[in-house]
Amino acid sequence: MTAGRFDGRRALVTGGLSGIGLATARLLLERGAAVAVLDRGGSAPDGALANALRVTCDVRDEPAVRSAVADAAEALDGPPDVLVNAAGIYRVAPFDALSTDEWDDVFDINLRGTFFVAREVAVRLRAAGIGGSIVNLASEAGLVADLTEPATHYNASKAGVIALTKQLAVELAADGIRVNAVAPGPIDTPMLTMMQDPVSGQAWLDAHVPLRRVGTADEVAEVILFLASDLASYVTGATLPVDGGATTL
Protein backbone atom coordinates (compact mmCIF):
# COMPACT_ATOMS: atom_id res chain seq x y z
CA MET A 1 0.00 0.00 0.00
CA THR A 2 1.34 3.42 -0.92
CA ALA A 3 0.99 6.18 1.67
CA GLY A 4 -2.00 7.84 0.02
CA ARG A 5 -3.87 4.63 -0.76
CA PHE A 6 -6.28 2.69 1.44
CA ASP A 7 -6.00 -0.82 0.04
CA GLY A 8 -6.73 -3.30 2.81
CA ARG A 9 -8.14 -0.63 5.12
CA ARG A 10 -11.58 -0.83 6.69
CA ALA A 11 -13.42 2.49 6.95
CA LEU A 12 -16.55 3.61 8.74
CA VAL A 13 -18.09 6.98 7.77
CA THR A 14 -20.97 8.45 9.76
CA GLY A 15 -23.34 10.82 8.01
CA GLY A 16 -22.11 9.24 4.82
CA LEU A 17 -25.14 9.75 2.58
CA SER A 18 -24.74 13.46 1.91
CA GLY A 19 -22.33 16.36 1.94
CA ILE A 20 -18.81 15.88 3.25
CA GLY A 21 -19.56 12.38 4.54
CA LEU A 22 -20.70 11.22 1.11
CA ALA A 23 -17.69 12.77 -0.62
CA THR A 24 -15.36 11.11 1.90
CA ALA A 25 -16.96 7.68 1.62
CA ARG A 26 -16.82 7.87 -2.17
CA LEU A 27 -13.15 8.89 -2.14
CA LEU A 28 -12.25 6.11 0.30
CA LEU A 29 -13.87 3.58 -2.02
CA GLU A 30 -11.98 4.99 -5.00
CA ARG A 31 -8.70 4.68 -3.10
CA GLY A 32 -9.18 1.04 -2.19
CA ALA A 33 -10.84 0.93 1.22
CA ALA A 34 -13.70 -1.32 2.23
CA VAL A 35 -16.31 1.18 3.43
CA ALA A 36 -19.29 1.02 5.75
CA VAL A 37 -21.59 4.04 5.85
CA LEU A 38 -23.53 4.75 9.02
CA ASP A 39 -26.48 7.09 8.59
CA ARG A 40 -29.94 7.43 10.08
CA GLY A 41 -31.76 7.19 6.76
CA GLY A 42 -32.02 8.26 3.15
CA SER A 43 -30.12 7.18 0.09
CA ALA A 44 -26.97 8.21 -1.72
CA PRO A 45 -27.51 9.96 -5.07
CA ASP A 46 -27.15 8.01 -8.30
CA GLY A 47 -25.86 4.86 -6.63
CA ALA A 48 -22.67 6.68 -5.60
CA LEU A 49 -22.02 4.20 -2.78
CA ALA A 50 -23.11 1.01 -4.49
CA ASN A 51 -20.01 -0.79 -3.19
CA ALA A 52 -20.35 0.40 0.39
CA LEU A 53 -22.07 -1.38 3.26
CA ARG A 54 -25.09 0.54 4.60
CA VAL A 55 -25.78 0.58 8.35
CA THR A 56 -28.82 2.52 9.55
CA CYS A 57 -28.29 4.13 12.94
CA ASP A 58 -29.08 7.30 14.88
CA VAL A 59 -25.79 8.36 16.48
CA ARG A 60 -27.70 9.83 19.44
CA ASP A 61 -28.74 6.33 20.50
CA GLU A 62 -25.94 4.67 22.48
CA PRO A 63 -27.16 1.04 22.22
CA ALA A 64 -27.88 1.53 18.52
CA VAL A 65 -24.36 2.86 17.95
CA ARG A 66 -22.87 -0.12 19.76
CA SER A 67 -24.89 -2.51 17.61
CA ALA A 68 -24.16 -0.63 14.38
CA VAL A 69 -20.40 -0.59 14.93
CA ALA A 70 -20.53 -4.31 15.74
CA ASP A 71 -22.44 -4.97 12.51
CA ALA A 72 -19.95 -2.90 10.51
CA ALA A 73 -16.98 -4.70 12.06
CA GLU A 74 -18.50 -8.08 11.25
CA ALA A 75 -19.26 -7.12 7.65
CA LEU A 76 -15.80 -5.60 7.16
CA ASP A 77 -14.06 -8.66 8.68
CA GLY A 78 -12.56 -6.59 11.46
CA PRO A 79 -12.93 -3.31 13.32
CA PRO A 80 -12.74 -0.17 11.19
CA ASP A 81 -9.22 1.22 11.27
CA VAL A 82 -10.42 4.45 9.65
CA LEU A 83 -13.31 6.31 11.27
CA VAL A 84 -14.70 9.54 9.87
CA ASN A 85 -17.26 11.18 12.15
CA ALA A 86 -19.16 13.33 9.66
CA ALA A 87 -22.69 13.09 11.09
CA GLY A 88 -23.86 16.53 12.17
CA ILE A 89 -26.56 19.19 11.95
CA TYR A 90 -26.41 22.96 11.60
CA ARG A 91 -28.94 25.26 13.22
CA VAL A 92 -29.04 29.08 13.42
CA ALA A 93 -30.71 31.03 16.24
CA PRO A 94 -29.77 33.85 18.64
CA PHE A 95 -28.64 32.42 21.98
CA ASP A 96 -31.46 34.09 23.91
CA ALA A 97 -34.05 32.48 21.65
CA LEU A 98 -32.71 28.93 22.04
CA SER A 99 -34.83 26.35 23.78
CA THR A 100 -33.27 23.58 25.84
CA ASP A 101 -34.54 21.03 23.34
CA GLU A 102 -32.84 22.87 20.45
CA TRP A 103 -29.58 23.02 22.38
CA ASP A 104 -29.75 19.33 23.28
CA ASP A 105 -30.62 18.26 19.73
CA VAL A 106 -27.48 19.87 18.28
CA PHE A 107 -25.22 18.60 21.06
CA ASP A 108 -26.66 15.10 20.96
CA ILE A 109 -25.80 14.67 17.28
CA ASN A 110 -22.67 16.77 16.85
CA LEU A 111 -20.81 15.97 20.08
CA ARG A 112 -22.50 13.10 21.90
CA GLY A 113 -22.80 11.08 18.68
CA THR A 114 -19.17 11.71 17.77
CA PHE A 115 -18.14 10.47 21.22
CA PHE A 116 -20.32 7.36 21.05
CA VAL A 117 -19.00 6.20 17.67
CA ALA A 118 -15.36 7.04 18.44
CA ARG A 119 -15.55 5.14 21.71
CA GLU A 120 -17.03 2.01 20.14
CA VAL A 121 -14.46 1.95 17.35
CA ALA A 122 -11.52 2.66 19.67
CA VAL A 123 -12.56 -0.07 22.11
CA ARG A 124 -12.63 -2.60 19.28
CA LEU A 125 -9.28 -1.47 17.87
CA ARG A 126 -7.69 -1.73 21.32
CA ALA A 127 -9.12 -5.21 21.85
CA ALA A 128 -7.74 -6.33 18.48
CA GLY A 129 -4.36 -4.67 19.09
CA ILE A 130 -4.75 -2.67 15.89
CA GLY A 131 -3.85 0.97 15.31
CA GLY A 132 -5.95 3.28 13.24
CA SER A 133 -7.07 6.79 12.52
CA ILE A 134 -10.11 8.81 13.59
CA VAL A 135 -11.03 12.06 11.86
CA ASN A 136 -13.78 14.16 13.41
CA LEU A 137 -15.75 16.88 11.65
CA ALA A 138 -15.46 20.11 13.60
CA SER A 139 -16.08 23.52 12.02
CA GLU A 140 -14.61 26.96 11.76
CA ALA A 141 -17.52 27.81 14.05
CA GLY A 142 -15.66 25.98 16.82
CA LEU A 143 -12.74 28.37 16.36
CA VAL A 144 -14.34 31.77 15.71
CA ALA A 145 -17.68 33.44 16.35
CA ASP A 146 -20.09 34.65 13.66
CA LEU A 147 -22.43 37.61 14.13
CA THR A 148 -24.20 37.19 10.79
CA GLU A 149 -25.42 33.63 11.51
CA PRO A 150 -25.56 33.30 15.31
CA ALA A 151 -25.51 29.65 16.32
CA THR A 152 -24.38 29.33 19.91
CA HIS A 153 -25.40 25.69 20.19
CA TYR A 154 -23.66 24.73 16.95
CA ASN A 155 -20.50 26.68 17.75
CA ALA A 156 -20.26 25.23 21.24
CA SER A 157 -20.83 21.68 19.98
CA LYS A 158 -18.05 22.02 17.41
CA ALA A 159 -15.69 23.55 19.98
CA GLY A 160 -16.48 20.45 22.01
CA VAL A 161 -15.51 18.24 19.06
CA ILE A 162 -12.14 20.00 18.91
CA ALA A 163 -11.54 19.46 22.64
CA LEU A 164 -12.70 15.84 22.35
CA THR A 165 -10.29 15.31 19.47
CA LYS A 166 -7.33 16.55 21.51
CA GLN A 167 -8.19 14.43 24.53
CA LEU A 168 -8.77 11.26 22.51
CA ALA A 169 -5.47 11.83 20.70
CA VAL A 170 -3.65 11.85 24.04
CA GLU A 171 -5.47 8.84 25.48
CA LEU A 172 -5.23 6.68 22.35
CA ALA A 173 -1.69 7.51 21.22
CA ALA A 174 -0.16 4.54 23.04
CA ASP A 175 -2.54 2.26 21.12
CA GLY A 176 -1.36 3.56 17.76
CA ILE A 177 -4.66 5.33 17.13
CA ARG A 178 -4.34 8.86 15.78
CA VAL A 179 -7.19 11.32 16.25
CA ASN A 180 -7.51 14.54 14.28
CA ALA A 181 -10.23 16.91 13.11
CA VAL A 182 -11.01 19.12 10.17
CA ALA A 183 -12.73 22.49 10.60
CA PRO A 184 -14.55 23.32 7.37
CA GLY A 185 -15.60 26.84 6.55
CA PRO A 186 -18.34 27.65 4.00
CA ILE A 187 -18.67 24.45 1.97
CA ASP A 188 -21.15 23.74 -0.82
CA THR A 189 -23.28 21.12 0.95
CA PRO A 190 -26.98 20.85 1.86
CA MET A 191 -26.22 22.59 5.18
CA LEU A 192 -24.93 25.77 3.52
CA THR A 193 -27.48 28.58 3.76
CA MET A 194 -25.49 31.73 3.02
CA MET A 195 -25.60 31.34 -0.78
CA GLN A 196 -29.39 31.23 -0.97
CA ASP A 197 -28.99 34.89 -1.90
CA PRO A 198 -26.01 34.78 -4.30
CA VAL A 199 -25.39 38.53 -4.22
CA SER A 200 -25.22 38.92 -0.44
CA GLY A 201 -23.48 35.55 -0.18
CA GLN A 202 -20.70 36.60 -2.53
CA ALA A 203 -20.36 39.91 -0.71
CA TRP A 204 -19.84 38.02 2.52
CA LEU A 205 -17.26 35.74 0.89
CA ASP A 206 -15.39 38.74 -0.52
CA ALA A 207 -15.22 40.30 2.94
CA HIS A 208 -14.54 37.24 5.08
CA VAL A 209 -12.86 34.52 2.98
CA PRO A 210 -9.47 35.32 1.40
CA LEU A 211 -10.07 32.81 -1.42
CA ARG A 212 -13.44 34.49 -2.07
CA ARG A 213 -15.44 31.35 -2.79
CA VAL A 214 -17.14 28.48 -1.08
CA GLY A 215 -15.29 25.19 -0.87
CA THR A 216 -16.44 21.82 -2.12
CA ALA A 217 -17.12 18.64 -0.21
CA ASP A 218 -14.47 16.92 -2.32
CA GLU A 219 -11.86 19.44 -1.16
CA VAL A 220 -12.65 18.66 2.47
CA ALA A 221 -12.66 14.92 1.75
CA GLU A 222 -9.13 15.13 0.36
CA VAL A 223 -7.92 16.68 3.63
CA ILE A 224 -9.76 14.04 5.66
CA LEU A 225 -8.08 11.28 3.68
CA PHE A 226 -4.70 12.92 4.16
CA LEU A 227 -5.19 12.91 7.93
CA ALA A 228 -6.41 9.31 7.86
CA SER A 229 -3.53 8.11 5.70
CA ASP A 230 0.08 7.17 6.40
CA LEU A 231 1.06 10.53 4.90
CA ALA A 232 -0.02 12.01 8.24
CA SER A 233 1.60 9.32 10.41
CA TYR A 234 3.13 11.92 12.77
CA VAL A 235 -0.02 14.04 13.08
CA THR A 236 -2.41 13.59 15.99
CA GLY A 237 -4.51 15.94 18.08
CA ALA A 238 -4.61 18.52 15.28
CA THR A 239 -7.57 20.46 13.95
CA LEU A 240 -6.98 21.56 10.38
CA PRO A 241 -9.12 24.42 9.00
CA VAL A 242 -10.41 23.90 5.47
CA ASP A 243 -11.96 27.31 5.11
CA GLY A 244 -10.38 29.32 2.31
CA GLY A 245 -8.44 31.27 4.91
CA ALA A 246 -11.49 32.53 6.81
CA THR A 247 -10.06 31.87 10.28
CA THR A 248 -6.93 33.88 9.49
CA LEU A 249 -8.93 37.14 9.48
Side-chain angles (χ1 to χ4, degrees):
M1 183 185 78
T2 59
R5 291 284 302 177
F6 287 82
D7 304 272
R9 303 288 297 274
R10 299 178 298 272
L12 176 62
V13 181
T14 74
L17 295 184
S18 66
I20 293 170
L22 172 61
T24 302
R26 187 168 49 217
L27 195 57
L28 282 163
L29 285 167
E30 290 175 1
R31 303 237 172 122
V35 177
V37 170
L38 190 157
D39 205 288
R40 60 180 174 178
S43 59
D46 302 325
L49 299 178
N51 295 324
L53 169 72
R54 283 281 310 279
V55 182
T56 301
C57 174
D58 187 333
V59 296
R60 297 172 294 184
D61 185 335
E62 183 177 9
V65 167
R66 186 174 297 116
S67 177
V69 173
D71 290 345
E74 181 177 359
L76 294 171
D77 291 326
D81 58 357
V82 173
L83 168 62
V84 179
N85 273 312
I89 59 173
Y90 178 58
R91 300 288 185 268
V92 177
F95 87 97
D96 54 355
L98 283 175
S99 69
T100 301
D101 286 343
E102 289 171 324
W103 176 276
D104 288 345
D105 190 37
V106 169
F107 263 76
D108 284 350
I109 295 175
N110 292 358
L111 184 54
R112 181 182 171 100
T114 296
F115 162 68
F116 282 160
V117 181
R119 183 181 61 184
E120 291 305 315
V121 169
V123 165
R124 290 178 175 276
L125 288 173
R126 275 177 161 172
I130 300 171
S133 177
I134 298 172
V135 183
N136 298 321
L137 265 290
S139 168
E140 68 169 355
L143 299 169
V144 295
D146 185 353
L147 188 59
T148 58
E149 287 193 355
T152 303
H153 45 349
Y154 180 77
N155 291 33
S157 72
K158 291 302 187 178
V161 169
I162 292 169
L164 176 67
T165 297
K166 292 179 179 180
Q167 187 62 33
L168 293 184
V170 171
E171 295 193 31
L172 295 174
D175 301 291
I177 302 171
R178 296 183 300 104
V179 188
N180 294 288
V182 294
I187 305 297
D188 186 11
T189 72
M191 288 202 301
L192 185 69
T193 60
M194 61 177 292
M195 297 307 291
Q196 290 173 355
D197 181 341
V199 175
S200 63
Q202 188 59 53
W204 188 94
L205 291 169
D206 291 343
H208 296 93
V209 180
L211 291 184
R212 299 188 176 188
R213 65 173 178 86
V214 296
T216 69
D218 287 338
E219 288 175 310
V220 182
E222 288 284 3
V223 177
I224 291 170
L225 261 67
F226 162 71
L227 290 172
S229 77
D230 291 342
L231 292 169
S233 58
Y234 199 53
V235 181
T236 196
T239 296
L240 183 56
V242 189
D243 63 1
T247 51
T248 64
L249 299 178

